[in-house]
Each structure stands twice: as C-alpha cells, then as structure tokens.
Amino acid sequence: MKRVLIAVAVALALLAPTVVRAQSNAELIAADLDAWWAANFAERGLSYSSPRLEIVDQPGTNFCGFIDVFEGPAGYCATNRTVYLSTGFLSPDSITGVLPLISHEWGHHVQNLVDTGVSTPMEAELQADCFAGAFIQYATESDWISPAVGAMALQLTQSAGDVWWLVPADEAIHGSQSDRAIAFMTGLHGGLSVCGF
Ligand SMILES: [Zn+2]
C-alpha cells in the first residue's frame, strides 16, 4: 500500500510541470498593464474591460480576418478586442521588446473603449505611444523595470510599428521618429492626463 502511494506521489510530481504552465514575460506585463488601466479607468469613473492577449507563433495566422500578424510584431484588433504579439519578431520573454509593443497596443484598446479625443490614425498612433510612455514611467517608478529598460523601450518605440486595423500595414501612419519620441516622452514625463486621457 505504501509503495502504491509513493508511486502515485511520483506520478503527480512528474505531471505537475505540464499542469502549471509558466507565464511568459509578455503575459506578466499584460497583467500589470491591465491592472494599471483598470485603476485609471476607475479613478475617472469609467468602466473598463480587458482585451485578450494572443501570442502567435505561426506565419499565416490571420488577425482581424485579413492581416497576417507576421507582417508586424504586434497589433490590436478592435472587433474581437485582442492584442496580438508575434513571436516571429521577438521572444515573448524579451521585456525590452515586449514592453513598448504591448503597452502601445493596449493604448489602441483604450481608444476602442472610450473617446480619447483623437480623430486621425496618426493622432491615435502618437497617443498610443504617449500612453506607452506613461505606463513605462509607472513601471519604472514601481521599480519593476530599470530606467535602462525604459530608455530601451523609447528607442524601440521610435523604430517599431504595429499593424493598424484601419489602413494597410505598410502605410506610414506612426509618425516620424521624432514625433514618436516626443509623444513617448510626453507620456513618460506628464502621465496619462497629458496624453488626453
Ligand atoms: Zn499603433
């Protein structure tokens, strides 16, 4: 009887790793972003709902019905409220890569939930960069990322694009590098309220 119990215990120990799946850094960042936005909505008396996060690892995976997520590192689909991250461009565990991308895409989700006062795709892109800057400032102040990671996030914001669901992916709508840096720094130094939220 005792031997059987030991065998069961060993079997359970072997099974455990497959039952408890480790969260990627992308998922951890998403959870933090979600909580931060929920708190900011609550502060303003607005109701918030979370987007879904989908990490895609296969080319040919359509999102929003027609865009291949492997055309861009990340995207947000308004119709199914999903933030997409493509592992074709970066590992979901790369904090410096994932942080600016997901926090930018989360900004598009916020724009989808409430009127944030933007009227053109370019304004929406720059505001999403501003939102990303505000979140990264919060993350730096909370000590879970270092200022160096924040600085790298700025550089990536300047160079990275996403897939916008309204226009073809190759259209230049994200603004110039300096526009994007200014938007990011505005959020970084002034917080959400200067981004128009
Ligand atoms: Zn965008």
Side-chain angles (χ1 to χ4, degrees):
M1 185 60 193
K2 200 174 182 187
R3 186 171 290 176
V4 171
L5 282 176
I6 290 168
V8 168
V10 169
L12 285 174
L14 288 172
L15 281 173
T18 63
V19 175
V20 183
R21 196 171 61 90
Q23 280 198 305
S24 67
N25 283 331
E27 288 164 308
L28 295 173
I29 290 168
D32 222 59
L33 259 166
D34 203 41
W36 183 72
W37 273 112
N40 277 292
F41 269 64
E43 233 171 66
R44 290 159 178 80
L46 300 166
S47 73
Y48 177 78
S49 61
S50 309
R52 285 192 323 118
L53 172 70
E54 199 168 313
I55 297 169
V56 233
D57 60 5
Q58 290 299 317
T61 309
N62 287 341
F63 88 97
C64 268
F66 61 99
I67 301 173
D68 188 322
V69 79
F70 272 61
E71 289 171 1
Y76 174 71
C77 184
T79 50
N80 64 7
R81 298 188 168 184
T82 301
V83 170
Y84 290 88
L85 187 71
S86 169
T87 60
F89 294 85
L90 79 174
S91 155
D93 282 318
S94 158
I95 293 176
T96 50
V98 164
L99 186 64
L101 283 173
I102 302 195
S103 49
H104 174 100
E105 300 309 335
W106 228 269
H108 290 317
H109 176 63
V110 168
Q111 291 163 345
N112 190 28
L113 293 180
V114 291
D115 180 6
T116 57
V118 292
S119 48
T120 66
M122 171 83 83
E123 281 173 14
E125 290 308 324
L126 293 177
Q127 185 182 58
D129 285 339
C130 190
F131 286 165
F135 175 73
I136 286 164
Q137 173 60 21
Y138 156 80
T140 311
E141 277 172 3
S142 313
D143 271 347
W144 68 264
I145 63 164
S146 70
V149 171
M152 274 189 269
L154 166 62
Q155 286 186 331
L156 281 162
T157 299
Q158 286 177 269
S159 59
D162 65 356
V163 181
W164 185 248
W165 70 93
L166 292 174
V167 293
D170 56 352
E171 202 167 302
I173 52 155
H174 280 89
S176 70
Q177 288 206 349
S178 63
D179 286 341
R180 299 201 70 186
I182 290 165
F184 183 92
M185 296 307 284
T186 300
L188 196 70
H189 294 301
L192 279 183
S193 56
V194 297
C195 303
F197 184 81

